[in-house]
Amino acid sequence: NAGVMQNPRHLVRRRGQEARLRCSPMKGHSHVYWYRQLPEEGLKFMVYLQKENIIDESGMPKERFSAEFPKEGPSILRIQQVVRGDSAAYFCASSPLPGGLSTEAFFGQGTRLTVV
Amino acid sequence: DAKTTQPNSMESNEEEPVHLPCNHSTISGTDYIHWYRQLPSQGPEYVIHGLTSNVNNRMASLAIAEDRKSSTLILHRATLRDAAVYYCIRGGSQGNLIFGKGTKLSVKP
């Protein structure tokens, strides 16, 4: 059973371009979480999805950011019109049940986005 | 709001036990306590979690105070590979994990 797969591992975008980050959860996991981590800082929650539904998006910036977790395929975090401040590591996690309850969440290795 | 309080950093000597404290004084009766750690340049890794009773696994032990307002992660014999940032997390009712700043553990040979 492969772990949580994120791709690409590194992504470079010019200001104004779009960034698409993909996350394939572990097999059988229907709960997906996205986090952002700036250098030397902790992980900041962005969004929590459960197949085709957004459960909690309280950490998502109001503009330019969106996330989806379709019935088939990976979860996608999409950043439109990227700016330098979007440069960060983006981590995805998955769990078979809500991760804050009686289960563990598994994290991917992250996508490091650099905006030039 | 992480709603947990941890020391910013701690140091340990290799092969000695490490006790990492966490305060969660506003925890509700149904909130689980989770610990994750993050090694440099890697994604967070699950360590342990519990609700009321002390818990043990191959990585660590979790001691939860009787009033559940605090807990302690215990690494029985620290190794150099245990150097990481350790996060104490209250599991939210929506099923989410909200990370705080964590404790940066340094292990000296």
Side-chain angles (χ1 to χ4, degrees):
Chain A
N1 189 3
V4 176
M5 304 300 292
Q6 290 189 249
N7 67 80
R9 292 291 306 275
H10 299 274
L11 181 63
V12 179
R13 284 287 177 266
R14 296 186 183 280
R15 281 177 294 171
Q17 291 184 319
E18 179 180 284
R20 279 184 181 240
L21 288 62
R22 293 175 185 76
C23 170
S24 295
M26 288 183 68
K27 188 176 181 181
H29 287 193
S30 59
H31 300 260
V32 166
Y33 317 81
W34 285 93
Y35 294 83
R36 177 165 64 176
Q37 186 172 39
L38 297 171
E40 305 301 320
E41 294 191 12
L43 286 92
K44 183 177 179 186
F45 165 74
M46 298 182 76
V47 62
Y48 164 29
L49 309 105
Q50 183 184 3
K51 280 292 185 182
E52 300 184 89
N53 293 309
I54 295 175
I55 306 300
D56 181 357
E57 56 180 347
S58 58
M60 287 279 270
K62 292 288 184 282
E63 298 177 348
R64 302 188 298 109
F65 285 73
S66 62
E68 63 176 10
F69 187 17
K71 189 176 180 181
E72 302 290 339
S75 176
I76 306 287
L77 179 67
R78 182 181 177 207
I79 312 172
Q80 295 178 291
Q81 299 175 319
V82 296
V83 300
R84 289 239 171 94
D86 296 333
S87 296
Y90 291 83
F91 290 97
C92 164
S94 76
S95 62
L97 298 170
L101 302 180
S102 59
T103 187
E104 63 179 281
F106 296 82
F107 282 79
Q109 290 301 302
T111 292
R112 279 147 183 86
L113 172 66
T114 302
V115 179
V116 297
Chain B
D1 181 5
K3 300 179 181 176
T4 61
T5 304
Q6 299 177 254
N8 289 334
S9 61
M10 291 184 66
E11 275 191 355
S12 172
N13 293 317
E14 196 175 12
E15 298 193 5
E16 290 185 356
V18 182
H19 290 233
L20 297 163
C22 179
N23 286 322
H24 28 78
S25 57
T26 60
I27 196 168
S28 74
T30 56
D31 288 349
Y32 278 80
I33 300 152
H34 300 254
W35 284 82
Y36 284 75
R37 72 180 185 180
Q38 187 177 23
L39 280 65
S41 300
Q42 294 192 27
E45 173 188 33
Y46 168 82
V47 178
I48 201 166
H49 76 280
L51 184 60
T52 56
S53 304
N54 293 345
V55 185
N56 300 295
N57 65 21
R58 63 176 179 82
M59 288 182 70
S61 295
L62 176 60
I64 301 172
E66 198 167 328
D67 62 7
R68 300 207 334 118
K69 293 184 185 301
S70 65
S71 61
T72 302
L73 178 70
I74 303 165
L75 306 179
H76 296 286
R77 285 183 68 213
T79 70
L80 297 177
R81 289 176 298 175
D82 290 324
V85 178
Y86 287 78
Y87 296 97
C88 167
I89 302 162
R90 275 174 50 180
S93 58
Q94 285 216 72
N96 206 347
L97 292 170
I98 305 296
F99 285 73
K101 296 186 184 304
T103 297
K104 184 173 184 178
L105 175 66
S106 303
V107 180
K108 296 185 288 185

